[in-house]
Amino acid sequence: MAANRNTVSTQPPIGNIPRPRVLFIDHAGVLGGGQYSLLDIARHFASSCKVLLFADGPFRERLQQYGVSVEVLPAPRKVSGVSRQATLLQDLRAVAGVIHLARSVAKHARDYDLIYANGQKPMVVSAFVARLANKPLIWHLRDTLTVQFESRLHLWLATTLANLFVARVIANSKATAEAFVQSGGRADRVQTVYNGIDAASFRAVTPEQVASARLSLGLGSAPVIGAFGRLAPWKGQHVLLEAMPQLPGVHVLFVGDAIFGEDAYARKLREQAAALGVTDRAHFLGFRQDIPLLMSAVDMVVHTAVEAEPFGRVLVEGMLARKPVVATRGGGTPEIIETGVSGLLVPPSDVKTLVAAIGGLLADPASAQKLAEAGHAVALQRFSLEALLAGVTRQIDDVLARRR
Ligand code: UDP
């Protein structure tokens, strides 16, 4: 539990420059990729920041474990229930709730130098907060703004609010930045800062832990693929399941849960496994906290998103675990993996090519190892936690300097 939930801790100066006081806003109580990334950023600013969440859950607990001041301001149901493809009517019903929430957040914002919205819903609320509290706003954009994901109304709303009220958009990949601009966002407002992953937890995994994890999962010496990520139709776990009958003897660990309400899809995946006769090889492990260990215990990491993955932390994590990574081409994935050099990229929803890529790697462990080692070096060089923190700090400092 953070020592003090309501006040800002005194700021330890770095040289003569006080640390900026940052109010982070996130809508989720659960732990998705955006929340893990914010966890790392907020830890870095722990002495001078607070995180406001619109829902309670394990994310709050994790922030508190790391000594980050955090408070939950539950969003009205009409706001939390708005999906990315919501209708105009659903959006209109949410307006009063957004304004009510913005007023509550604005009271907190007065004690901070800058508001940092982690994701789209927080940005919409924070746009009003920025106006009410007269504070600069950064939007960490972690979604692909395209019609595949968003209603046209949401695309218009997001880019219009950003153009009017957001001082800087931090995009988690060039693809995400481009989608923002193509949807009408101002190109001069957006900067790309790649996600970064802490390599230490991957380095800490021992061979003994790996052997015992494989034993406890009953995997023996069978080839094992790891599919890491929350269960959601666009993450495409169904494509990998579809490939399984053509990969005899290969086990797949599906690690993740339907954390944003995609329970029907989670059920359908299990039904699909039964219909394909692969239930003995398809292991649904649910949400896990021991990702570095599980990634180290598999032979390769496969990510079969069927829509543009904005970034894909799981790709970098697979590389840090020194595993060959096979992913679908789209969104930010080509910025992480150079196919044939640091992993393999395949077209989305193409089972035949996927099977050939996986089968090829299993048949040629030396080439698989070479890809894995090259991927490991790329992850360390280009997607380090240090680089993420330096990039975010630079953007915060720049926004505040321009404001002065
Ligand atoms: N993850 C986890 N437990 C799980 C499944 C996933 O901790 O059971 C983590 C995973 O290690 C990664 C994050 O959730 O750090 C997912 O991030 P990614 O960018 O791949 O996807 P997003 O959730 O942002 O769409």
Side-chain angles (χ1 to χ4, degrees):
M1 178 87 190
N4 190 335
R5 286 166 57 114
N6 293 314
T7 56
V8 188
S9 22
T10 47
Q11 308 152 43
I14 304 173
N16 289 329
I17 309 163
R19 296 212 85 181
R21 298 169 303 170
V22 183
L23 182 64
F24 294 101
I25 320 273
D26 196 294
H27 74 289
V30 290
L31 284 156
Q35 289 67 43
Y36 274 113
S37 182
L38 179 58
L39 187 62
D40 284 331
I41 295 168
R43 283 173 70 184
H44 182 67
F45 287 95
S47 63
S48 61
C49 81
K50 179 158 79 176
V51 180
L52 283 186
L53 301 179
F54 296 158
D56 203 359
F59 185 28
R60 174 191 47 82
E61 289 163 20
R62 287 293 284 273
L63 285 161
Q64 289 176 332
Q65 275 166 15
Y66 288 118
V68 177
S69 175
V70 52
E71 204 161 322
V72 179
L73 286 183
R77 258 171 53 87
K78 281 181 187 153
V79 176
S80 59
V82 173
S83 73
R84 296 174 73 183
Q85 293 287 357
T87 61
L88 174 63
L89 192 63
Q90 287 164 328
D91 284 339
L92 286 174
R93 283 195 187 124
V95 170
V98 168
I99 291 169
H100 174 78
L101 197 54
R103 286 213 177 100
S104 312
V105 175
K107 288 183 192 142
H108 295 264
R110 295 201 175 101
D111 296 332
Y112 295 86
D113 302 316
L114 180 136
I115 306 160
Y116 193 108
N118 193 50
Q120 199 171 331
K121 241 179 221 180
M123 184 279 287
V124 171
V125 175
S126 302
F128 293 98
V129 178
R131 188 67 198 248
L132 287 168
N134 191 26
K135 302 284 175 177
L137 169 61
I138 287 181
W139 175 20
H140 204 137
L141 173 60
R142 302 177 179 280
D143 294 320
T144 316
L145 294 185
T146 60
V147 286
Q148 278 74 34
F149 288 100
E150 311 283 341
S151 68
R152 285 189 191 280
L153 175 65
H154 281 193
L155 291 179
W156 175 82
L157 193 68
T159 49
T160 303
L161 286 176
N163 291 345
L164 288 172
F165 300 113
V166 174
R168 182 71 39 86
V169 177
I170 298 180
N172 64 358
S173 67
K174 291 199 173 91
T176 309
E178 271 161 31
F180 170 73
V181 174
Q182 281 188 356
S183 297
R186 279 179 55 167
D188 61 336
R189 294 272 165 92
V190 62
Q191 294 284 330
T192 299
V193 178
Y194 285 126
N195 270 332
I197 309 284
D198 189 1
S201 50
F202 290 85
R203 268 198 302 270
V205 177
T206 66
E208 294 73 29
Q209 288 171 325
V210 170
S212 120
R214 280 189 73 108
L215 198 67
S216 68
L217 290 165
L219 295 170
S221 58
V224 184
I225 290 171
F228 296 84
R230 54 199 170 80
L231 305 182
W234 75 270
K235 290 282 186 182
Q237 283 92 352
H238 59 279
V239 179
L240 183 53
L241 265 179
E242 213 178 309
M244 286 188 70
Q246 294 171 63
L247 295 164
V250 175
H251 286 245
V252 179
L253 306 184
F254 291 94
V255 184
D257 212 342
I259 56 174
F260 291 119
E262 306 88 343
D263 303 287
Y265 181 67
R267 269 195 309 278
K268 262 172 64 182
L269 287 175
R270 287 174 175 83
E271 286 162 16
Q272 187 189 356
L276 292 169
V278 297
T279 44
D280 55 333
R281 299 189 283 122
H283 308 269
F284 291 94
L285 302 190
F287 183 84
R288 298 279 297 232
Q289 304 254 19
D290 52 353
I291 299 299
L293 173 59
L294 289 173
M295 284 215 178
S296 305
V298 301
D299 297 296
M300 95 182 57
V301 170
V302 175
H303 190 63
T304 51
V306 295
E307 298 291 351
E309 177 65 74
F311 179 85
R313 288 169 58 90
V314 291
L315 274 56
V316 176
E317 291 168 345
M319 292 152 107
L320 286 174
R322 283 198 153 90
K323 300 299 165 182
V325 178
V326 179
T328 44
R329 191 176 285 112
T333 60
E335 297 168 53
I336 302 172
I337 290 177
E338 188 183 347
T339 192
V341 177
S342 49
L344 290 180
L345 293 177
V346 296
S349 305
D350 181 344
V351 173
K352 199 170 152 210
T353 311
L354 179 66
V355 168
I358 294 171
L361 289 176
L362 291 174
D364 185 356
S367 298
Q369 193 53 35
K370 221 169 129 193
L371 288 184
E373 289 305 330
H376 184 248
V378 168
L380 289 178
Q381 276 163 22
R382 299 191 53 216
F383 304 107
S384 69
L385 179 57
E386 293 73 21
L388 167 73
L389 296 175
V392 166
T393 304
R394 209 167 24 248
Q395 297 305 324
I396 290 175
D397 289 347
D398 187 47
V399 166
L400 289 174
R402 281 165 194 263
R403 180 88 170 183
R404 273 180 217 119

